[in-house]
Amino acid sequence: MVEHAYLIPLLPFLVSLVILFFFDEDAHSPYAPYLGIATMFWCLVQSLVIFHQASSGAVHPWPYEGSWEWFSFAADSAGKGFSAAMPIGILIDGAAAVMLVVVTLVSLLVQVYSLGYMHGDPRFKRYYAYLSFFTASMLGLVVSNNLLVTFACWELVGVSSYLLIGFWFEKPAPAYASKKAFMTTKLGDCGLYVALLLIWAKFGSFKISMLAVSAATPGVLTPLAATAIGLGILCGAAGKSAQWPLFIWLPDAMEGPTPVSALIHAATMVAAGIYLVAKTYFIYAASPVAMEAVAWIGLITALLAATMALVAYDIKRVLAFSTVSQLGFMLCALGCGGYTAGLFHLTTHAFFKALLFLGAGSVIHSVHTNDMRQMGGLSKKMPVTFGTMFVATLAIAGIWPFAGYFSKDMILERVYGHNQVMFGLLTFAALLTAFYMFRMIFLTFVGDDRDHERHHHAHESPWVMLWPLCLLAFLSVVSGAALAHNGFFEHLVNYKLPEGLMTETLAPRLMPYAVTALVCGSIALSWFFYGRNDFTLAESLKARCSPIFSVLENRYGFDAIFLSLVAFSDRIAKFAFWFDSSVIDQFFVDGWGLITRICAELSGLFDNLFVDRTVDGFGGLSMDAGVLLRSLVTHGQVQEYLMYIAVAVSLFTILILSR
């Protein structure tokens, strides 16, 4: 199976083309979605086999790499020309084996869930084509052994996310959100592109295994070069994984279909940036500065997003800010040397975040609103949705024995060993996570209904939407303990940092219990404000701290800052257009053309008045002389001709003798 891992991204890509070009849009044929679901089921089975082979040590050598020549091109080194080959292939290590299972499983459940959620949509077939294309792009990024191919899949992820976020493009909000997501991520991709150019200039290759060996060789990769490359990659990761300051696109991306939000937030687009940093971790291992930048960017993101989630009332936006914050946890762990911790949380987070979004979709599908202020009391109407979302909330809050407890505890332990100030701030972000997530649960499912009409018509979703929730709830309970058992996950994806790169302080044994106690206190505080039917205390606090709430609701002004940058860019573009049309075109292009035309007119006038008339004059004179000579010849005056000859000979003789 591992030898044919290239089929995992290839099959969904081919299926997306088949669905798009060979199925009728208006027929609502069931074969289009089921073809995508069957393909993703096969990809999941193959991924599970690869994961089993990786974990049992059945693959030799490990990591497995298969490579083929993609294309060749002329190159030169030290003045000597040669033909260089660009390889394409697969690289399956522990992290890739885990990500294959996560991406294919979540994508399969999202596609099954969409049978109920998107039923009746006029572009039902196109939706499934886009889903398969999106998943194929992410899977290609996971298995690629070449950073150039990784970058190509990276851009395909951006294109497919643009198509899915703006799927309902006839509405202004999704159309705007898709453009915002695309342009914001492209801003970060500029840094990644520069990093790739530096990698090629430094190593002359994009093959990841070769780069890792070269980076580990003393003297090959200087700290300055590693810092420049690492910061460039971080820019790309900040765009895709919605890190500060490029996180502004993710809350607006909620305008897309809710299953798309689950796929983006759990296993594909936002996970791409974290995975890329992990994939190029050997670059950061050579640069303490770049590592520290990764850690602080992640920490700032986790804090800012957690505070913004406190005041959001749109259920999907709360989850969006939660995703941004959790991605900050992962990035901070990677920056603190916690390679295993960051990827562990990426794995567990995929399960409970997909569950939260699909659960939110179930709620929205039932009450037809995203505003939690119009919900309340839905636990009796939607017991399965409530139970599964409650499990996911316990997991993301970090309560034992749910999955989030193990991965978040590993992150906090790693951060404590690196920097205790960062640990304190990240712990505070974890407490905020528990507060706002249970605020969402209380406002949505607990207490009395606040909109009687919506509550009256609320109902549980069909089972085609519920059984993915139940499976994800099961994984949210057991995946953390299963992967952490006997250091299984750490052994599978272990990465050893160079000695002396990171200072480490052992965390106290009681730290997990202390953090859990604080989290329980945060949940109790959330219940005190929002768990009862009386919201007077919450409203009075909001009134007293209205300036702070305004700042949080306006996302610290980051949207306004970026919009002002866009407006400034527009003004620069308008000035450039005016300068081009009014100065360059009129004075230089049109003016030079006018000068050239005037010179041409003067040249033509001089030519007509002087040159042509001189030529014509000599021509006329020649014609007159010829006529005269002809008249003399025709009259037959031979004696006169002889006289002319005698005179000429006499003159010539005198001239010769006088010398």
Side-chain angles (χ1 to χ4, degrees):
M1 284 292 186
V2 72
E3 295 177 356
H4 301 287
Y6 58 86
L7 292 175
I8 298 177
L10 184 60
L11 290 177
F13 175 73
L14 295 177
V15 165
S16 68
L17 298 180
V18 171
I19 295 175
L20 194 61
F21 293 110
F22 295 98
F23 285 87
D24 187 3
E25 184 77 74
D26 300 325
H28 294 293
S29 172
Y31 300 110
Y34 285 114
L35 178 61
I37 291 172
T39 303
M40 197 50 56
F41 178 76
W42 166 256
C43 293
L44 174 60
V45 171
Q46 186 176 358
S47 300
L48 287 171
V49 172
I50 292 174
F51 179 80
H52 173 71
Q53 292 176 336
S55 58
S56 62
V59 180
H60 299 285
W62 182 255
Y64 175 81
E65 183 172 13
S67 187
W68 308 271
E69 184 176 333
W70 185 12
F71 62 88
S72 59
F73 56 94
D76 66 88
S77 178
K80 295 182 179 181
F82 61 94
S83 177
M86 182 65 69
I88 185 173
I90 57 174
L91 176 62
I92 307 299
D93 55 7
V98 172
M99 284 299 296
L100 285 176
V101 174
V102 170
V103 175
T104 53
L105 175 60
V106 174
S107 179
L108 174 63
L109 296 179
V110 166
Q111 292 197 35
V112 172
Y113 179 93
S114 298
L115 289 173
Y117 191 88
M118 297 297 290
H119 179 73
D121 192 278
R123 292 187 291 274
F124 193 57
K125 179 238 1 180
R126 192 182 306 182
Y127 172 81
Y128 272 88
Y130 290 167
L131 279 184
S132 294
F133 181 59
F134 193 19
T135 306
S137 302
M138 182 62 193
L139 291 170
L141 189 151
V142 170
V143 303
S144 172
N145 74 334
N146 185 304
L147 285 180
L148 185 61
V149 180
T150 299
F151 184 66
C153 295
W154 179 276
E155 294 302 318
L156 289 177
V157 168
V159 171
S160 51
S161 66
Y162 168 81
L163 296 173
L164 285 170
I165 294 171
F167 185 74
W168 291 319
F169 55 82
E170 64 275 9
K171 302 177 183 178
Y176 174 78
S178 62
K179 290 186 290 185
K180 185 176 183 180
F182 189 79
M183 296 306 296
T184 305
T185 55
K186 292 310 111 186
L187 186 61
D189 291 350
C190 293
L192 177 57
Y193 180 69
V194 172
L196 292 179
L197 295 179
L198 293 174
I199 288 174
W200 179 259
K202 188 68 178 177
F203 299 100
S205 174
F206 288 122
K207 194 173 181 181
I208 295 174
S209 57
M210 185 181 298
L211 297 179
V213 173
S214 299
T217 303
V220 174
L221 183 62
T222 63
L224 180 60
T227 300
I229 295 172
L231 293 179
I233 295 174
L234 178 59
C235 287
K240 277 289 191 291
S241 291
Q243 299 296 293
W244 176 84
L246 300 179
F247 60 80
I248 59 170
W249 66 269
L250 195 56
D252 294 309
M254 298 302 95
E255 297 295 340
T258 301
V260 171
S261 302
L263 191 58
I264 289 176
H265 286 251
T268 52
M269 186 170 180
V270 297
I274 305 298
Y275 184 73
L276 180 64
V277 173
K279 201 169 188 177
T280 58
Y281 208 59
F282 52 87
I283 299 290
Y284 294 95
S287 172
V289 175
M291 286 279 279
E292 201 68 18
V294 169
W296 281 104
I297 290 293
L299 177 62
I300 293 171
T301 303
L303 279 173
L304 293 181
T307 55
M308 289 185 284
L310 295 173
V311 299
Y313 288 101
D314 186 316
I315 187 171
K316 289 178 66 177
R317 289 186 186 274
V318 173
L319 296 178
F321 287 124
S322 169
T323 299
V324 175
S325 183
Q326 297 305 303
L327 292 168
F329 273 82
M330 302 171 203
L331 200 66
C332 185
L334 291 174
C336 293
Y339 180 88
T340 302
L343 289 180
F344 191 16
H345 197 56
L346 180 64
T347 304
T348 59
H349 174 265
F351 299 137
F352 52 73
K353 184 50 60 71
L355 172 55
L356 286 167
F357 267 105
L358 296 182
S362 179
V363 172
I364 295 168
H365 185 265
S366 176
V367 299
H368 304 289
T369 182
N370 292 23
D371 194 339
M372 295 185 295
R373 290 170 294 188
Q374 299 178 16
M375 301 178 188
L378 292 177
S379 58
K380 298 178 182 178
K381 291 278 188 173
M382 310 177 69
V384 177
T385 301
F386 166 66
T388 53
M389 287 192 72
F390 187 72
V391 168
T393 304
L394 289 171
I396 197 173
I399 300 298
W400 186 89
F402 299 92
Y405 168 81
F406 296 93
S407 56
K408 191 171 291 187
D409 177 65
M410 187 180 291
I411 289 176
L412 292 176
E413 182 179 347
R414 178 70 245 187
V415 174
Y416 183 91
H418 177 66
N419 188 315
Q420 295 184 23
V421 174
M422 297 178 72
F423 166 78
L425 295 174
L426 204 62
T427 301
F428 180 65
L431 300 181
L432 294 179
T433 300
F435 182 89
Y436 67 70
M437 288 303 301
F438 274 91
R439 169 181 176 266
M440 180 197 72
I441 290 293
F442 296 147
L443 288 177
T444 305
F445 294 103
V446 179
D448 297 333
D449 59 283
R450 292 180 292 279
D451 189 316
H452 300 292
E453 185 67 21
R454 295 183 187 277
H455 186 270
H456 176 72
H457 293 286
H459 56 84
E460 189 62 273
S461 298
W463 274 104
V464 72
M465 295 171 61
L466 291 181
W467 81 259
L469 302 184
C470 296
L471 178 57
L472 288 170
F474 173 75
L475 292 173
S476 299
V477 175
V478 304
S479 61
L483 293 174
H485 182 65
N486 291 331
F488 171 77
F489 191 87
E490 185 175 4
H491 174 73
L492 182 63
V493 302
N494 185 41
Y495 183 93
K496 293 183 178 179
L497 287 170
E499 294 185 5
L501 179 64
M502 290 287 177
T503 58
E504 184 174 355
T505 303
L506 294 177
R509 290 185 178 182
L510 296 178
M511 188 193 74
Y513 306 103
V515 172
T516 301
L518 292 174
V519 167
C520 292
S522 181
I523 296 172
L525 186 63
S526 181
W527 166 262
F528 187 70
F529 278 100
Y530 299 101
R532 303 169 297 171
N533 291 323
D534 185 10
F535 302 110
T536 304
L537 186 60
E539 293 298 328
S540 62
L541 179 63
K542 182 177 180 179
R544 291 180 181 179
C545 305
S546 58
I548 298 177
F549 275 76
S550 298
V551 170
L552 296 178
E553 288 173 347
N554 292 324
R555 307 177 194 176
Y556 292 95
F558 281 105
D559 283 89
I561 292 172
F562 276 93
L563 288 176
S564 64
L565 290 176
V566 171
F568 178 68
S569 301
D570 287 341
R571 287 194 292 270
I572 292 178
K574 290 178 181 178
F575 173 77
F577 175 77
W578 171 85
F579 185 79
D580 179 67
S581 59
S582 301
V583 178
I584 295 179
D585 287 348
Q586 291 188 11
F587 285 93
F588 290 95
V589 178
D590 297 341
W592 183 256
L594 179 61
I595 292 173
T596 304
R597 184 175 178 181
I598 292 173
C599 292
E601 292 290 342
L602 292 175
S603 176
L605 181 63
F606 180 82
D607 185 68
N608 291 331
L609 292 178
F610 297 98
V611 178
D612 288 349
R613 290 191 178 185
T614 302
V615 172
D616 293 342
F618 278 103
L621 182 62
S622 300
M623 289 179 64
D624 292 342
V627 170
L628 176 62
L629 183 61
R630 181 180 180 184
S631 64
L632 293 175
V633 173
T634 53
H635 290 153
Q637 297 175 354
V638 179
Q639 63 275 16
E640 189 174 348
Y641 304 155
L642 294 174
M643 184 189 69
Y644 293 149
I645 294 173
V647 171
V649 171
S650 300
L651 292 175
F652 183 73
T653 302
I654 294 170
L655 179 63
I656 294 299
L657 293 175
S658 65
R659 297 178 59 188

